[in-house]
Amino acid sequence: MGCHMAVRGPRKDSPRLTARGAATRERIVATAADLMFRQGVTATTLDQVVDACGISKSQLYHYFPDKDALITEVIAMRERRMVSSQKPQLDQVRSMRDLERWRDSLVTGHRERDVPYRCPIGSLANELSCYDDARQSLAAIFSRWQGLLADGLVRMRESGELDPGADPAELAVAVIAALQGGYLLAETMQDEQPFLVALDMALDHVKAHVRTPVANLTQPDT
Amino acid sequence: MGCHMAVRGPRKDSPRLTARGAATRERIVATAADLMFRQGVTATTLDQVVDACGISKSQLYHYFPDKDALITEVIAMRERRMVSSQKPQLDQVRSMRDLERWRDSLVTGHRERDVPYRCPIGSLANELSCYDDARQSLAAIFSRWQGLLADGLVRMRESGELDPGADPAELAVAVIAALQGGYLLAETMQDEQPFLVALDMALDHVKAHVRTPVANLTQPDT
């Protein structure tokens, strides 16, 4: 009883693929990622992936020996997507205002694209936490996400906006926790309010570490 | 493709059971709840439940026509357990100190019993969000949990500890979101630190609404 899946790290010895082969492989991973996002990992069968891709089962097995290998690649794709969507924005964070822009873009992203409030990383983490290899890969994704955010907070501390005593790494953990909890409640309630409330709490938490501006006594009265 | 399970509301027409029958039924639900907690709902088969209970499949079917009926009862059991563990403590909340006690008891509960950082409600919610009946039942559990906490915050507002402008319902949503996100990160990282950090953020968020004590100018200098 328990967790039997052996999710491996990414294969280092992937066979060389033609451009067309690489595209098919990528399409299989993207399709599986989408199905697993919408209905869960365990609930997603290889037959469903094959049907949704319009390929044969033997084609699938040409690229992936089994479901575990496919899950490993889905996780790797989720990391690439998180980085490509989050890094450009978080790399811009130099002030509280930038952090608010990041919050706003998360919210408008859901509103505009009408995608459900559900985190692709968080939902995999919840379902795969008992599979140690997958769990570690997902922990690494959370760490990377927190790291991108913490780098922005470090810049805010260096510029003097954040208190020298503020701990960027710890603040980043708190913000990502609020984000994840906000996703889960919003998803379950089918209401964006818990997501907004959680993110506002997180940003207020960072704001509590903003340095109180010291009145500039030498400023001329103009 | 998608979500096919029809999770129903609790049956109103459950057959009368003997005391022994009721005990067997309860044991089946508790066993299923435990397996689903540890390995997920979809990953848990009726054969595993039967094996773990030491009963026959026909005995299981005597109580539950199918897996969906069992899931419905597992959700109902999780609600009863949440209420029985959370209500006595949250009903005591009348001050910030009581809220800190609640936080401490959540943490020591995990440390002492050595149970994984994983919320039985949150993990069900993540996996079953695409099944509308189950999702609604789980949303109702979150609402009830938030309500128990909000009642405590209302008492803190009435006693004058919280600012009259504080919104107990919204604060409760924020705290439960932090709790859920903290659980997910702690579970994935296998580290209690994100749980502690998230809960501290949540309590600081409530504390930000504590009324600033007005200096008692009439107090004698003794």
Side-chain angles (χ1 to χ4, degrees):
Chain A
M1 212 84 57
C3 296
H4 301 293
M5 192 176 358
V7 178
R8 288 174 293 271
R11 283 167 69 188
K12 303 283 180 250
D13 58 342
S14 300
R16 288 279 170 84
L17 295 174
T18 61
R20 198 176 155 189
T24 303
R25 191 176 188 281
E26 184 78 0
R27 192 158 54 88
I28 294 168
V29 176
T31 303
D34 180 57
L35 288 171
M36 290 171 182
F37 175 68
R38 290 192 287 117
Q39 59 188 25
V41 177
T42 315
T44 298
T45 65
L46 292 185
D47 285 329
Q48 289 174 342
V49 175
V50 157
D51 286 349
C53 278
I55 58 170
S56 69
K57 198 102 173 235
S58 67
Q59 267 182 293
L60 179 87
Y61 284 127
H62 173 69
Y63 297 101
F64 302 100
D66 50 31
K67 188 177 172 183
D68 294 353
L70 185 53
I71 294 170
T72 300
E73 290 306 315
V74 166
I75 295 173
M77 168 176 275
R78 286 300 181 194
E79 176 162 20
R80 290 194 301 275
R81 286 190 184 175
M82 181 282 286
V83 172
S84 69
S85 75
Q86 292 292 294
K87 192 175 184 324
Q89 288 180 65
L90 290 172
D91 277 355
Q92 298 302 316
V93 171
R94 278 174 175 72
S95 69
M96 206 57 225
R97 185 69 203 95
D98 294 331
L99 213 53
E100 287 161 358
R101 269 191 209 103
W102 168 72
R103 185 255 331 261
D104 293 347
S105 76
L106 283 172
V107 174
T108 52
H110 284 277
R111 285 183 186 156
E112 283 169 6
R113 289 177 297 133
D114 197 27
V115 288
Y117 276 91
R118 175 171 175 83
C119 177
I121 318 278
S123 58
L124 287 173
N126 177 77
E127 200 176 345
L128 298 176
S129 69
C130 67
Y131 305 103
D132 215 48
D133 287 351
R135 185 192 60 69
Q136 286 180 31
S137 300
L138 289 157
I141 303 180
F142 279 133
S143 292
R144 193 158 175 197
W145 198 351
Q146 287 160 11
L148 292 171
L149 182 55
D151 288 347
L153 298 168
V154 165
R155 286 187 293 273
M156 286 170 65
R157 196 177 58 180
E158 284 170 354
S159 74
E161 181 163 3
L162 277 194
D163 197 270
D167 183 335
E170 196 173 295
L171 286 174
V173 169
V175 173
I176 299 296
L179 182 68
Q180 289 299 322
Y183 268 125
L184 183 69
L185 293 185
E187 175 185 12
T188 311
M189 306 292 197
Q190 288 198 348
D191 178 3
E192 71 171 9
Q193 187 253 5
F195 188 76
L196 305 179
V197 164
L199 276 186
D200 282 348
M201 165 181 63
L203 265 63
D204 282 349
H205 185 59
V206 175
K207 217 179 280 178
H209 294 82
V210 165
R211 287 176 82 167
T212 317
V214 178
N216 187 343
L217 298 174
T218 61
Q219 197 180 351
D221 285 340
T222 45
Chain B
M1 213 86 54
C3 295
H4 302 293
M5 193 178 355
V7 178
R8 289 173 294 270
R11 285 166 68 187
K12 303 282 180 254
D13 58 342
S14 300
R16 289 281 170 84
L17 296 174
T18 60
R20 197 176 156 189
T24 303
R25 190 175 187 282
E26 184 80 358
R27 191 158 55 89
I28 294 168
V29 177
T31 303
D34 180 55
L35 288 171
M36 290 172 182
F37 175 68
R38 291 192 286 118
Q39 58 187 28
V41 177
T42 315
T44 297
T45 65
L46 292 185
D47 284 330
Q48 289 174 342
V49 175
V50 156
D51 286 349
C53 277
I55 58 170
S56 69
K57 197 102 173 235
S58 67
Q59 266 181 297
L60 180 86
Y61 284 126
H62 174 70
Y63 297 101
F64 302 100
D66 51 29
K67 187 176 171 183
D68 293 354
L70 184 53
I71 294 170
T72 300
E73 291 306 315
V74 165
I75 295 173
M77 168 176 274
R78 286 300 181 193
E79 177 161 18
R80 291 194 300 277
R81 286 189 183 175
M82 182 281 289
V83 172
S84 69
S85 75
Q86 291 292 296
K87 193 176 185 321
Q89 289 181 63
L90 290 172
D91 277 356
Q92 298 303 318
V93 170
R94 279 176 173 72
S95 68
M96 207 57 227
R97 187 66 203 100
D98 295 331
L99 214 51
E100 286 161 359
R101 268 192 209 103
W102 169 70
R103 185 255 331 261
D104 294 346
S105 78
L106 284 172
V107 174
T108 53
H110 284 277
R111 286 185 186 155
E112 282 170 8
R113 288 177 297 134
D114 197 26
V115 289
Y117 275 91
R118 176 172 173 83
C119 176
I121 318 279
S123 57
L124 287 174
N126 177 76
E127 198 176 346
L128 298 176
S129 68
C130 66
Y131 304 104
D132 214 49
D133 287 351
R135 184 191 59 70
Q136 286 179 32
S137 300
L138 290 157
I141 302 179
F142 279 132
S143 292
R144 192 158 176 197
W145 199 350
Q146 286 161 12
L148 292 172
L149 181 54
D151 288 347
L153 298 169
V154 165
R155 286 187 293 273
M156 285 169 64
R157 196 176 59 179
E158 285 170 351
S159 74
E161 182 165 2
L162 277 193
D163 197 89
D167 183 335
E170 196 174 295
L171 286 174
V173 169
V175 173
I176 299 296
L179 182 67
Q180 289 299 322
Y183 268 125
L184 183 69
L185 293 187
E187 175 186 10
T188 311
M189 308 291 197
Q190 287 198 349
D191 178 1
E192 72 172 10
Q193 187 253 7
F195 188 76
L196 304 179
V197 164
L199 276 186
D200 282 348
M201 166 180 63
L203 264 63
D204 282 350
H205 185 59
V206 175
K207 216 179 281 178
H209 294 83
V210 165
R211 287 176 82 165
T212 316
V214 179
N216 188 343
L217 299 173
T218 60
Q219 198 177 351
D221 286 337
T222 46

